[in-house]
Amino acid sequence: MSTTAQPEQAATPHSEKRSAALFSVIAAFAVTLFKLLTGILTGSLGMLSEAAHSGIDLIAAGITLFSVQVSDRPADADHTYGHGKIESLSAAIESVLMLGSCVWILTEAIRRIAHREHLALKFSIWPFLVLLLSITVDYTRSRKLHRIATETRSEALEADAIHFRTDIWSSMAVLVGLAASFIGERYQISQLELADPIAAIIVAGIILHVTWNLARRTIDALTDATPIEARAQTDDMMRDVAAIDGVLSVDRIRTRRSGPNYFADLTLGLPRNLTFQRSEQITMAATAAVRRHLPGADVVVHSIPTADTAESLHDRIRAVASRSNLAIHDVSVQEYNHTLHVEQHLEVDEKMSLSAAHALVTQLESDIRREVPEISTILTHIESEPATIERPASAERDRQLEVRLRRCAQAFPEILDIHEVFVTRAHNNGADRIQVNCHCTLPDDLPMSRVHEIITALENAFKIDCPEVSRLLIHPEPATDNRR
């Protein structure tokens, strides 16, 4: 059921954006036609400039409709970041068109003022009705476009909404200019004859202001500048990410926007001894922190292994081995004569030659001394790690070995019981190999250091009593989790 619901949720914003853009095209066409006819009939430059402005808006609305249809297409092999940039490109085209209309309106207005041409207007009620209708339509569609642009984070629809909000003020300027011109003509007030071209200049100034703001935002989007809304929240994002348990440093946060989609990449310093699973958990937490500020962002986290000041000496030694992709265990550090001496066990492939294993150990010990110069000597026990899967000749519960194991366990009062004893006999390289596995119940509050001591001592005691057993594996578990 959830698989079916997801496409419907994804389709709804796209259909809302498309319907809003289509409504904008129809409204722009009707308003442009009315303004053009009224401007021709009355000879008003203000009305003609408004018609030119609305014509530019019609072209812009058409471009917006096209860009909205394309921008929501999913990413493909040729556009791995999606098609959101088409909205920024359409806004750039709108800016050029609006700048051209500004130049024409200013040129014509200045020419009429300088040469006193076409200043007499034919009085008609139609320009006022058309302008009032235009203001009503612009108010309605600007609100609708702004609402949907906010919900869908559409750059193209937001640009249209801004245009139509400024159309309201420019239409009011022309309305005032026409009224002043008609009043000046009727009452022979010569100073008011210039009201219409002056109103056209005011309209050009409004268009120029909007064009400048739109062009600046478009250039920022096309050059991948940090979005304004992201700039304001960068410090909060860094604080939220830095507060995640395990993050040592936030070295870099970069954000960009492509259409309605945000992209963010983070570089985080993480403790170098983290497990892969814990690193993934921190990555998911960092992604969630960014998305709280930038909903739906595509987040990429790059982690840098970093030495933590709280690292123990054992952690530092293990980190050096991990950097070389080597597995060490049973690391012990002793201090005598004011110097540190390390013992460790290293597992290597059972098929590796002694010379190759020795060279590997020599390099590892050299790296550890360079990382931890206070270490004086290192003794590495080389163990072979089986590379083949053993096929047991038989698997059975050996009652005698189990009894002897339980007898050895009685020497340790902390051991509450021994259960699930399993004996495996395998034939390997011409010799029989016996392995014993068991579960050992211990008190819940026993420290792990003591648990390790008890298990090691039990292993040693059992091997002395049963030298034919090659390996004893003990799984410790607390008394409250005894699953017998």
Side-chain angles (χ1 to χ4, degrees):
M1 181 175 288
S2 60
T3 304
T4 306
Q6 287 178 357
E8 293 177 355
Q9 292 174 354
T12 301
H14 175 69
S15 60
E16 287 184 349
K17 288 168 64 176
R18 187 178 181 279
S19 63
L22 183 60
F23 169 74
S24 178
V25 170
I26 296 172
F29 176 78
V31 170
T32 301
L33 182 62
F34 281 130
K35 286 183 179 180
L36 179 62
L37 292 176
T38 305
I40 293 173
L41 292 175
T42 61
S44 168
L45 180 60
M47 283 300 298
L48 290 175
S49 66
E50 271 293 289
H53 188 189
S54 296
I56 297 300
D57 287 343
L58 174 60
I59 296 173
I63 295 173
T64 299
L65 177 60
F66 170 76
S67 68
V68 162
Q69 290 177 325
V70 174
S71 64
D72 284 341
R73 291 178 183 174
D76 52 35
D78 296 326
H79 303 85
T80 53
Y81 285 95
H83 298 78
K85 286 289 185 184
I86 191 68
E87 293 197 15
S88 301
L89 185 60
S90 71
I93 297 174
E94 292 178 29
S95 300
V96 174
L97 294 176
M98 293 177 68
L99 182 61
S101 70
C102 283
V103 173
W104 178 80
I105 293 171
L106 285 173
T107 302
E108 186 65 17
I110 292 172
R111 188 178 66 81
R112 289 197 179 191
I113 292 175
H115 299 285
R116 299 280 174 161
E117 296 179 357
H118 307 291
L119 295 179
L121 303 178
K122 300 174 184 178
F123 178 78
S124 173
I125 194 63
W126 285 107
F128 297 96
L129 295 178
V130 169
L131 286 172
L132 290 174
L133 175 63
S134 174
I135 291 172
T136 302
V137 171
D138 286 339
Y139 176 76
T140 302
R141 64 177 173 174
S142 67
R143 286 194 62 185
K144 181 177 181 179
L145 286 171
H146 177 69
R147 178 180 61 81
I148 297 178
T150 302
E151 293 174 355
T152 61
R153 300 197 302 272
S154 172
E155 188 176 353
L157 292 184
E158 181 60 27
D160 265 3
I162 293 173
H163 289 172
F164 301 140
R165 281 202 298 270
T166 58
D167 281 353
I168 297 173
W169 295 105
S170 61
S171 296
M172 292 180 64
V174 174
L175 195 65
V176 173
L178 281 175
S181 296
F182 288 140
I183 292 173
E185 184 178 351
R186 182 178 182 85
Y187 295 103
Q188 302 299 316
I189 304 175
S190 58
Q191 291 84 351
L192 295 180
E193 292 179 353
L194 300 177
D196 184 56
I198 290 174
I201 293 175
I202 294 174
V203 171
I206 294 174
I207 298 174
L208 186 62
H209 175 72
V210 174
T211 302
W212 166 250
N213 289 333
L214 178 60
R216 185 174 58 185
R217 291 173 55 183
T218 302
I219 292 172
D220 284 347
L222 291 174
T223 56
D224 286 334
T226 302
I228 296 176
E229 60 274 21
R231 294 176 201 169
Q233 301 187 62
T234 298
D235 291 341
D236 292 336
M237 277 192 291
M238 292 188 70
R239 278 194 294 269
D240 288 352
V241 174
I244 298 173
D245 184 28
V247 174
L248 300 180
S249 64
V250 182
D251 299 330
R252 184 175 65 186
I253 291 184
R254 295 192 301 183
T255 56
R256 58 185 288 266
R257 183 176 174 181
S258 178
N261 302 317
Y262 293 103
F263 296 87
D265 65 82
L266 289 70
T267 302
L268 306 181
L270 303 181
R272 57 185 178 176
N273 60 349
L274 281 185
T275 62
F276 182 78
Q277 185 175 10
R278 179 56 184 152
S279 297
E280 178 64 15
Q281 291 172 347
I282 294 176
T283 297
M284 294 174 64
T287 300
V290 172
R291 286 178 178 169
R292 283 196 294 271
H293 299 275
L294 301 176
D298 186 324
V299 183
V300 176
V301 178
H302 174 63
S303 59
I304 299 178
T306 306
D308 187 2
T309 54
E311 277 185 345
S312 67
L313 189 60
H314 294 75
D315 291 334
R316 296 168 66 185
I317 294 172
R318 292 190 183 95
V320 176
S322 298
R323 194 165 60 218
S324 301
N325 199 27
L326 297 175
I328 61 173
H329 61 91
D330 291 341
V331 179
S332 63
V333 181
Q334 299 176 349
E335 180 179 1
Y336 49 88
N337 296 330
H338 305 291
T339 57
L340 297 180
H341 303 267
V342 175
E343 287 188 10
Q344 60 187 9
H345 293 246
L346 171 66
E347 295 181 355
V348 299
D349 193 298
E350 64 179 354
K351 297 181 180 179
M352 180 180 290
S353 66
L354 176 58
S355 60
H358 184 266
L360 188 66
V361 169
T362 301
Q363 182 62 48
L364 173 62
E365 293 177 350
S366 176
D367 292 341
I368 292 176
R369 285 195 184 93
R370 186 164 47 251
E371 177 82 12
V372 191
E374 54 267 35
I375 293 177
S376 177
T377 62
I378 303 176
L379 176 61
T380 302
H381 301 268
I382 305 176
E383 302 174 355
S384 63
E385 180 184 21
T388 58
I389 299 176
E390 296 181 348
R391 299 186 181 275
S394 64
E396 60 181 13
R397 286 184 174 272
D398 192 311
R399 179 62 182 169
Q400 183 180 4
L401 287 177
E402 182 176 348
V403 170
R404 294 164 73 180
L405 175 60
R406 292 183 185 279
R407 188 169 58 241
C408 291
Q410 291 176 359
F412 303 93
E414 293 92 346
I415 297 179
L416 303 180
D417 74 8
I418 297 289
H419 58 281
E420 295 187 30
V421 180
F422 189 77
V423 180
T424 301
R425 299 177 183 272
H427 191 72
N428 188 17
N429 295 329
D432 288 332
R433 182 177 180 184
I434 302 176
Q435 177 173 310
V436 178
N437 302 335
C438 71
H439 288 230
C440 176
T441 305
L442 298 164
D444 289 24
D445 56 353
L446 199 65
M448 279 305 302
S449 59
R450 179 58 182 156
V451 171
H452 184 265
E453 291 176 2
I454 294 171
I455 289 175
T456 302
L458 177 57
E459 289 176 353
N460 295 333
F462 182 66
K463 287 181 180 179
I464 292 173
D465 189 57
C466 302
E468 67 273 22
V469 175
S470 59
R471 194 173 190 185
L472 171 62
L473 293 180
I474 302 175
H475 172 68
E477 58 187 25
T480 54
D481 193 36
N482 192 328
R483 298 174 182 174
R484 287 182 296 167

